[in-house]
């Protein structure tokens, strides 16, 4: 169900996908191996081509695909990544089994994949842009962050070829505009990546999707693991869903004839 056609005749190449985009959130976290090469291999084997991940930098400037600022929650090690050298961080094991990957390694191992990258720390901004430029991965990476100013700085550094999504401020402005309230929006974003509900307040509804589409923006919703919620969001016309439960989303999209 599409509420309004996108006015852009040619969307950013990152968005070149013929159906709602299935994103493997952190590679799929159901078995606890989030943001590991093993998780992304499993997602690729399941047919996923869009992966969501996060980046931090080590004390010596290596760009690590990892969600938390510290190793404590999901690995057998402790400490803040930003204060540790890569020689130490690389010894940590997620769930006691899998090493943390460098984002550059993931780009190389999965050359057909497209990556939604949450820029978790200011220190990761320049290394990420530099990596995208060095590997010519402009069509394969969309950069997002809760921090709108950080994403804006990334795009100023990278230029117009970089795909970005809105941060909290941009999403709020889009939400206000959906209800006829004037609000400034940053130019250059290709998507609004949002939770369905935040702090008990619904973010994604028919008006929000309509407003985004009218401005040439896709709507990607995170993190949705329930098949009924997936179906309801797809009925609203959202353009992508991020999930931990890879088989569930694949089943829902297959049932709608939308798994490609």
């Amino acid at each position: 169900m599409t509420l309004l056609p996108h006015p852009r005749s040619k969307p950013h190449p990152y968005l070149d996908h013929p159906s709602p985009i299935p994103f493997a959130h952190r590679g799929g976290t159901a078995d606890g191996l989030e943001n590991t090469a093993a998780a992304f291999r499993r997602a690729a084997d399941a047919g996923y081509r869009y992966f969501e991940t996060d980046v931090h930098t080590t004390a010596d400037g290596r760009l690590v695909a990892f969600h938390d600022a510290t190793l404590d929650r999901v690995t057998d090690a402790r400490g803040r990544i930003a204060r540790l050298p890569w020689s130490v961080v690389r010894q940590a094991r997620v769930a006691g089994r899998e090493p943390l990957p460098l984002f550059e390694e993931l780009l190389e191992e999965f050359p057909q994949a497209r990556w939604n990258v949450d820029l978790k720390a200011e220190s990761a901004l320049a290394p990420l842009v530099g990596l995208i430029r060095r590997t010519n991965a402009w069509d394969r990476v969309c950069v997002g962050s809760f921090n709108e100013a950080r994403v804006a700085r990334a795009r100023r550094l990278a230029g117009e070829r970089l795909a970005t999504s809105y941060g909290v401020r941009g999403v709020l402005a889009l939400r206000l505009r959906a209800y006829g309230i004037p609000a400034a929006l940053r130019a250059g974003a290709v998507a609004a990546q949002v939770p369905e509900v935040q702090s008990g307040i619904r973010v994604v509804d028919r008006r929000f999707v309509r407003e985004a589409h009218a401005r040439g923006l896709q709507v990607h919703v995170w993190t949705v693991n329930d098949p009924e919620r997936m179906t309801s969001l797809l009925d609203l016309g959202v353009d992508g869903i991020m999930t931990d439960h890879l088989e569930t989303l694949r089943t829902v999209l297959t049932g709608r004839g939308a798994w490609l």
Side-chain angles (χ1 to χ4, degrees), residues 7 19 22 51 60 70 84 108 129 144-146 160 177 190 198 205 209 221 249:
S19 65
F51 301 153
D60 48 353
T70 71
L84 299 171
E108 181 177 356
V129 171
S145 174
F146 288 109
E160 294 184 359
R177 281 177 172 267
V190 302
Q198 181 69 42
D205 58 15
V209 175
V221 187
L249 180 55

Side-chain angles (χ1 to χ4, degrees), residues 4-5 30 119 130 171 188 190:
L4 284 175
L119 192 56
V171 170
V190 302

Side-chain angles (χ1 to χ4, degrees), residues 205-247:
D205 58 15
R206 196 173 299 274
R207 286 187 177 186
F208 184 85
V209 175
R210 182 184 294 117
E211 182 69 18
H213 285 180
R215 297 182 178 280
L217 298 163
Q218 289 201 2
V219 178
H220 304 154
V221 187
W222 51 263
T223 303
V224 187
N225 297 324
D226 178 75
E228 292 184 2
R229 299 313 313 150
M230 292 172 181
T231 297
S232 295
L233 289 164
L234 292 166
D235 286 345
L236 285 178
V238 304
D239 306 280
I241 290 178
M242 301 185 187
T243 189
D244 300 320
H245 293 246
L246 307 184
E247 294 299 330

